[in-house]
Amino acid sequence: MKLFPRFFSLLFCLQSFSQTANNSEKIKEYIDTYFHYDREIIHVQFNKNIYINNEDIAFKGYLFSKNNNIPNNNTTNVELVVYNDQQQIIQKQLLFTENGTFKGGIHLNEKFKPGKYNFHFYTNWMNNFKEDDSFNQTVEIISKNNPYVFEANEPNWKTAEISLFPEGGNIIDGIINTVGIKIKDCNKKGLEIINGVILDSKSNEVAHFQTNSMGNGVFYLKADLKEKYTLKINSEKLNISQPLGKIAETGIILSYNNNLAKNNLLVVLKTNEKGLQLYQNKKFILLIEQDGNFMQQEITFNNNKTEQPCFFDKKNLSNGVNTIRVLDEDLNEVTERLVYIENDITPITTLEAKATSNDSIILSGKTEVNKAHLSISILPEKSVCMNKKKSISGTFYLNAYLEKPETNTYPYYDPDNKNRKQDLELLMFNQNKGKFLWENIKSDPPKINYQFEKGVTVSGKVEKELKPNSKNKISLISLKDNLFDEASIDEHNDFKFEHFYAQDSTVLAVQMINEKNSTIFTKIEARVSRDEPRFILGPSFEKITCPALKTTDNVFNFAPPKPEDKAIELEGIAIKNNFKKEILTHKNSMSPVAKAFKIKEGEYRTVLSFLTSNGYNTGINPNDNTVYVRNSRGAYLGDSASSPSVYIDDILAFDFNQLLTLTLDQIDEIYIDQSGSSDVSAVGNGTIKIYMKKGQKSNYFKPKFTTFIVTKGFAQNINYKNSRFENQEEFNYFGTLNWSPDIDLKDDHLDYQIKFPKNNQKEIQVLIEGFSEEGQLISEVKKIHIGGNS
């Protein structure tokens, strides 16, 4: 957790100097001003990263407050823009966020051509800041009509690029310099080297180095201004030689040791003998900061020593990447380094999977953290769709502070990576600078021009002329969400509902009511409107300068789709059907699962009794003498949550009293769909559509409300379904066993179970992401063996 107040004085410096009060206060003012406003950052977990173009893409998002290190509740609106590999916009969605989380997805179809697609998530509030805290994710969509060529794990050695990162920015004459080295290919994939050397002008080896699988390494060189050095790698896969560059006569080096006992961080300011003379009587300030949390200390070279050490207590530093800066007397930055502080304890997750007698798997999990929101994706053992690259910890604690975010952050947090702390140290070494520039902090604080967005606006105009001082109001009804709201009508006959949750394709109704709550007939225009904020910084997708290497000897061919079973034609048999099929006029307005009734002549019973005999409870509430129609499964008489949508000639009936005297001799057709799939306004509660005989409607009732279908609202939540595969091998490579985006842990309930079909798996891969209400992060990828029957 971050500590407040944000300013701490340094107690453990080996020298004792009084700080220049003026500069100290200026630094505090700069930082407090620049980081005064809370910043939010997004991480999104996808259920996998390769999809067939008839599957469902599913994701769960997490919105975090950087200033408070807890889930962010200020925003409800998250924008998603999907781009193809030509950076053309393919789709946009508005995602509803609650308690710092959101979920969603896309039903893929043949319109999604095979290729890479970039998903960009952001909020309007992020536009207030120069630093990019949006989230980017690239997924691949493939087609079963084309063979799938697997990407090679091997990097593209022919495109190796070497970058050097000396402490302080320069290699300085006469002292031992620590130099970071990064070697990556054109796809930013790290190259692992074990035999790199530094040679002097006489080809003597003066230093050697190696890099890890991320391509990061370090070497130590006592430099001579008169020498010319060469970096050389000579191996089976890479043969390269390049000059090391010019040696500087003097300068300042910023070094640190992050592996001391007693939770101390040692920071050392270094120079050479020439620098010792140059910097005498000059004061520097050593500043360590992350967001609004910082520590500072004055330091000089007045004791004639070329190394000036200071100790910091890491308990006072923020978790994740911190920036160490050296400032001169005019508060200009001399040099900077990044250091990773790891104070938080990662919650422990235990998982166990057992097969059941009915060929299912039960995954039992327990995460030692209270009040947490988790999402879990379960893939087959041999899946090639496993996205091990990004983790929520890497997004919030690492990439949030890097000038150039890492594409692959999970290895730095993988509990099975025994070298992860060393890998983090090397990663920090091989950075030019952090995301937050000192010049911006000094002189260009954020200006708040964009607000936290909450919901959408429903607005419109009534046609009926209002009397002065009228107390008429507009009521807004959402049958699906059981919502009712009221708004006043202004002198121009306009009304507005702000910060309203309205989901795409649902039906809303508006009506005008007087002070006695009686409905007044008038024509009403209504619409959903909102600003669609663009992201000012633009999407920062990783630019691929060369295609990934493919393994031509490792190609997967999908099986052709199985032909549908065809009916066998029987010869010599003639069946005569004398049944006269009823002609249903309005059957296309309902789902195929709906029951259709053509009302015969001579039917005189009431519509309510007809509905009662076809699965609904009907009657009159004794409390207010109003008619109710409810699903027979409902638990409470008149509860609107169990009421179906009732339409009369395609007009939604909010007042069921209209049904009281309606008899079947006035009716042409009735359709009943208890599944609710025929109507987006009340999914799950059922839909009833009544069509009057000609000439009956105008004599029967006149609607006093206006309905409209929501557009430009929040995206509908997808009902995630696994795709069908032609054989077991296809499923093992590309299928999904389970996607569970809504696992919530309570104080007294930290365990959870997920049940799903076994599908011939002996081992499964489980991806877990999430956070707690206190800001603890959970991110793990585990392979779990399937045990015996539970």
Side-chain angles (χ1 to χ4, degrees):
M1 296 293 292
K2 296 182 181 178
L3 301 174
F4 293 91
R6 298 170 179 169
F7 170 66
F8 296 88
S9 61
L10 179 59
L11 302 178
F12 305 106
C13 188
L14 294 185
Q15 308 169 72
S16 58
F17 295 98
S18 61
Q19 290 189 2
T20 304
N22 190 30
N23 275 351
S24 175
E25 288 302 315
K26 281 184 179 179
I27 291 172
K28 183 179 187 305
E29 182 182 351
Y30 293 154
I31 293 177
D32 285 348
T33 302
Y34 198 79
F35 295 101
H36 173 75
Y37 296 101
D38 191 16
R39 298 168 186 244
E40 53 191 0
I41 187 168
I42 295 176
H43 175 80
V44 182
Q45 178 193 2
F46 283 69
N47 65 315
K48 56 180 185 174
N49 67 332
I50 300 175
Y51 299 87
I52 313 296
N53 60 0
N54 63 351
E55 286 191 281
D56 289 347
I57 293 178
F59 53 78
K60 175 71 173 286
Y62 298 90
L63 195 62
F64 206 59
S65 164
K66 292 180 72 175
N67 285 26
N68 302 305
N69 258 16
I70 57 174
N72 181 58
N73 293 317
N74 288 322
T75 295
T76 63
N77 297 21
V78 170
E79 306 285 340
L80 166 61
V81 182
V82 183
Y83 299 82
N84 63 13
D85 53 9
Q86 304 298 314
Q87 295 202 8
Q88 298 170 320
I89 295 177
I90 301 301
Q91 190 173 122
K92 292 182 179 181
Q93 288 187 6
L94 175 63
L95 302 167
F96 178 68
T97 307
E98 189 174 29
N99 299 320
T101 67
F102 59 88
K103 63 180 179 179
I106 295 177
H107 295 295
L108 294 179
N109 52 47
E110 298 297 329
K111 293 181 180 179
F112 283 84
K113 298 177 181 179
K116 298 287 183 71
Y117 289 81
N118 298 310
F119 285 65
H120 184 214
F121 300 84
Y122 62 92
T123 68
N124 188 50
W125 179 256
M126 290 178 180
N127 283 320
N128 291 304
F129 308 104
K130 296 178 182 64
E131 297 80 19
D132 185 356
D133 284 320
S134 65
F135 184 85
N136 297 288
Q137 175 71 47
T138 300
V139 304
E140 183 177 6
I141 297 177
I142 63 177
S143 171
K144 290 184 179 181
N145 297 328
N146 305 320
Y148 180 74
V149 182
F150 294 99
E151 288 189 7
N153 291 324
E154 191 76 6
N156 189 336
W157 291 89
K158 295 180 181 179
T159 62
E161 183 177 333
I162 298 175
S163 303
L164 298 179
F165 300 86
E167 288 182 316
N170 294 301
I171 301 176
I172 297 176
D173 176 47
I175 63 174
I176 297 176
N177 294 262
T178 307
V179 183
I181 181 169
K182 179 190 293 184
I183 311 177
K184 297 208 170 187
D185 70 1
C186 57
N187 290 307
K188 311 300 181 184
K189 187 175 288 187
L191 305 184
E192 189 169 5
I193 301 295
I194 60 173
N195 58 351
V197 296
I198 306 297
L199 304 177
D200 64 14
S201 58
K202 298 178 182 179
S203 296
N204 297 315
E205 181 181 322
V206 293
H208 68 276
F209 63 88
Q210 60 185 33
T211 58
N212 58 15
S213 60
M214 296 84 162
N216 293 316
V218 68
F219 64 85
Y220 305 92
L221 174 67
K222 185 171 184 179
D224 186 343
L225 187 63
K226 300 175 184 178
E227 271 289 352
K228 292 184 177 180
Y229 299 97
T230 301
L231 183 150
K232 189 171 184 179
I233 300 169
N234 188 6
S235 67
E236 182 181 344
K237 296 178 180 178
L238 183 62
N239 193 328
I240 195 169
S241 178
Q242 68 180 50
L244 199 58
K246 188 177 180 180
I247 307 301
E249 290 187 26
T250 189
I252 288 180
I253 289 176
L254 177 59
S255 185
Y256 66 77
N257 187 336
N258 194 20
N259 299 299
L260 299 180
K262 298 182 180 180
N263 211 33
N264 285 330
L265 170 69
L266 171 62
V267 180
V268 182
L269 217 57
K270 298 180 183 179
T271 189
N272 57 8
E273 291 296 332
K274 186 171 183 178
L276 196 61
Q277 300 173 13
L278 183 64
Y279 303 128
Q280 281 289 315
N281 302 318
K282 291 188 178 181
K283 297 176 181 179
F284 298 93
I285 291 179
L286 202 59
L287 173 67
I288 304 182
E289 54 90 9
Q290 183 199 95
D291 297 329
N293 187 35
F294 69 99
M295 302 174 72
Q296 59 172 311
Q297 179 63 36
E298 184 180 293
I299 192 168
T300 73
F301 287 94
N302 289 350
N303 59 0
N304 291 320
K305 292 184 178 180
T306 57
E307 296 188 5
Q308 304 297 329
C310 282
F311 289 89
F312 293 83
D313 188 345
K314 291 193 286 188
K315 292 179 182 178
N316 295 332
L317 298 175
S318 297
N319 200 62
V321 176
N322 288 251
T323 304
I324 310 174
R325 306 182 194 272
V326 178
L327 308 178
D328 65 17
E329 292 172 320
D330 297 322
L331 297 186
N332 296 314
E333 184 176 276
V334 178
T335 186
E336 73 174 73
R337 286 282 307 277
L338 303 183
V339 59
Y340 195 93
I341 303 299
E342 198 162 38
N343 287 328
D344 285 4
I345 299 175
T346 304
I348 298 173
T349 295
T350 55
L351 294 173
E352 183 182 44
K354 289 186 178 181
T356 65
S357 55
N358 63 351
D359 203 30
S360 293
I361 295 174
I362 294 179
L363 177 70
S364 301
K366 186 174 184 180
T367 302
E368 299 293 341
V369 60
N370 292 335
K371 297 180 180 178
H373 306 283
L374 306 179
S375 46
I376 294 181
S377 179
I378 305 174
L379 303 179
E381 175 189 359
K382 296 180 180 179
S383 175
V384 297
C385 307
M386 172 67 73
N387 185 2
K388 281 187 176 181
K389 291 185 176 181
K390 294 187 177 181
S391 72
I392 192 171
S393 299
T395 299
F396 294 164
Y397 290 153
L398 184 63
N399 281 344
Y401 304 99
L402 299 184
E403 180 195 24
K404 296 180 180 179
E406 284 289 301
T407 302
N408 189 357
T409 64
Y410 182 74
Y412 299 107
Y413 301 91
D414 182 0
D416 294 330
N417 179 8
K418 296 179 181 179
N419 299 317
R420 70 177 198 86
K421 289 189 176 181
Q422 182 182 351
D423 291 341
L424 264 173
E425 289 283 325
L426 291 174
L427 176 64
M428 293 297 97
F429 212 110
N430 288 288
Q431 305 291 322
N432 276 323
K433 54 188 174 182
K435 180 185 290 186
F436 295 88
L437 304 181
W438 177 246
E439 283 304 311
N440 288 340
I441 295 174
K442 268 180 61 178
S443 58
D444 198 6
K447 300 175 182 64
I448 302 304
N449 297 314
Y450 305 88
Q451 300 304 313
F452 290 108
E453 284 197 329
K454 295 188 176 184
V456 297
T457 299
V458 178
S459 60
K461 180 183 287 288
V462 298
E463 183 181 89
K464 188 177 182 67
E465 184 178 354
L466 298 176
K467 297 178 181 179
N469 302 318
S470 169
K471 295 183 179 179
N472 291 348
K473 292 183 177 181
I474 292 292
S475 62
L476 173 64
I477 304 166
S478 172
L479 186 62
K480 176 182 178 181
D481 300 303
N482 194 24
L483 292 176
F484 179 88
D485 200 1
E486 289 185 350
S488 59
I489 305 171
D490 67 18
E491 65 273 14
H492 303 294
N493 286 7
D494 294 327
F495 62 88
K496 182 184 293 186
F497 297 86
E498 294 184 300
H499 311 304
F500 198 80
Y501 172 72
Q503 198 173 61
D504 275 344
S505 300
T506 56
V507 175
L508 297 179
V510 287
Q511 60 185 7
M512 187 165 71
I513 56 175
N514 62 20
E515 56 187 343
K516 296 181 180 180
N517 289 326
S518 297
T519 304
I520 303 172
F521 174 75
T522 181
K523 289 185 179 181
I524 303 174
E525 294 180 1
R527 73 197 69 82
V528 172
S529 62
R530 72 178 188 93
D531 294 328
E532 294 187 26
R534 67 181 183 89
F535 191 61
I536 292 176
L537 297 176
S540 55
F541 303 125
E542 191 78 36
K543 291 184 179 179
I544 303 300
T545 56
C546 63
L549 290 178
K550 300 283 188 175
T551 53
T552 54
D553 57 339
N554 193 1
V555 178
F556 185 85
N557 292 293
F558 290 94
K562 296 177 181 177
E564 298 293 333
D565 293 333
K566 295 182 178 180
I568 300 174
E569 184 178 352
L570 299 178
E571 296 183 0
I573 300 177
I575 300 176
K576 187 176 181 180
N577 187 352
N578 293 319
F579 174 73
K580 185 177 181 180
K581 187 176 181 179
E582 292 180 332
I583 299 175
L584 296 167
T585 308
H586 301 91
K587 64 178 180 179
N588 291 332
S589 69
M590 295 289 283
S591 166
V593 302
K595 293 181 180 179
F597 300 89
K598 192 77 172 180
I599 306 303
K600 299 177 181 178
E601 294 292 337
E603 288 274 10
Y604 294 102
R605 58 181 170 143
T606 66
V607 168
L608 291 180
S609 65
F610 177 85
L611 296 178
T612 300
S613 62
N614 283 279
Y616 288 94
N617 293 334
T618 66
I620 299 176
N621 283 311
N623 296 329
D624 54 10
N625 293 319
T626 59
V627 172
Y628 66 82
V629 178
R630 64 182 179 90
N631 194 302
S632 58
R633 294 169 292 181
Y636 173 69
L637 185 66
D639 184 3
S640 62
S642 62
S643 296
S645 297
V646 178
Y647 289 80
I648 301 176
D649 284 346
D650 290 321
I651 297 176
L652 186 62
F654 288 98
D655 184 1
F656 288 170
N657 288 342
Q658 299 173 86
L659 306 178
L660 184 60
T661 58
L662 191 59
T663 55
L664 293 181
D665 62 314
Q666 300 169 284
I667 308 302
D668 181 28
E669 294 174 357
I670 298 178
Y671 296 83
I672 297 177
D673 177 7
Q674 289 190 311
S675 74
S677 59
S678 297
D679 180 23
V680 295
S681 69
V683 174
N685 302 326
T687 305
I688 299 171
K689 289 193 175 183
I690 300 169
Y691 292 94
M692 310 287 291
K693 289 180 178 177
K694 289 183 178 181
Q696 292 290 331
K697 176 182 175 183
S698 59
N699 298 328
Y700 174 60
F701 77 100
K702 190 176 186 180
K704 297 181 179 180
F705 52 84
T706 299
T707 61
F708 63 98
I709 297 176
V710 174
T711 59
K712 294 186 178 181
F714 289 94
Q716 288 187 303
N717 292 326
I718 70 166
N719 182 18
Y720 177 79
K721 293 181 180 179
N722 285 332
S723 182
R724 177 178 175 269
F725 291 85
E726 298 298 333
N727 55 52
Q728 186 66 41
E729 188 178 22
E730 285 186 9
F731 180 84
N732 288 342
Y733 280 134
F734 301 101
T736 301
L737 287 162
N738 182 266
W739 168 243
S740 298
D742 296 316
I743 298 176
D744 294 330
L745 306 183
K746 306 300 182 184
D747 290 337
D748 56 347
H749 193 69
L750 305 181
D751 54 346
Y752 42 89
Q753 283 193 341
I754 302 172
K755 187 176 181 181
F756 52 94
K758 184 177 180 182
N759 215 303
N760 296 324
Q761 303 300 312
K762 295 181 180 179
E763 191 172 75
I764 57 176
Q765 301 186 73
V766 182
L767 296 83
I768 307 172
E769 296 259 70
F771 57 27
S772 72
E773 292 182 8
E774 295 181 350
Q776 291 174 288
L777 306 183
I778 301 99
S779 180
E780 287 197 52
V781 178
K782 292 191 174 187
K783 284 195 172 184
I784 309 295
H785 178 73
I786 308 299
N789 291 348
S790 57

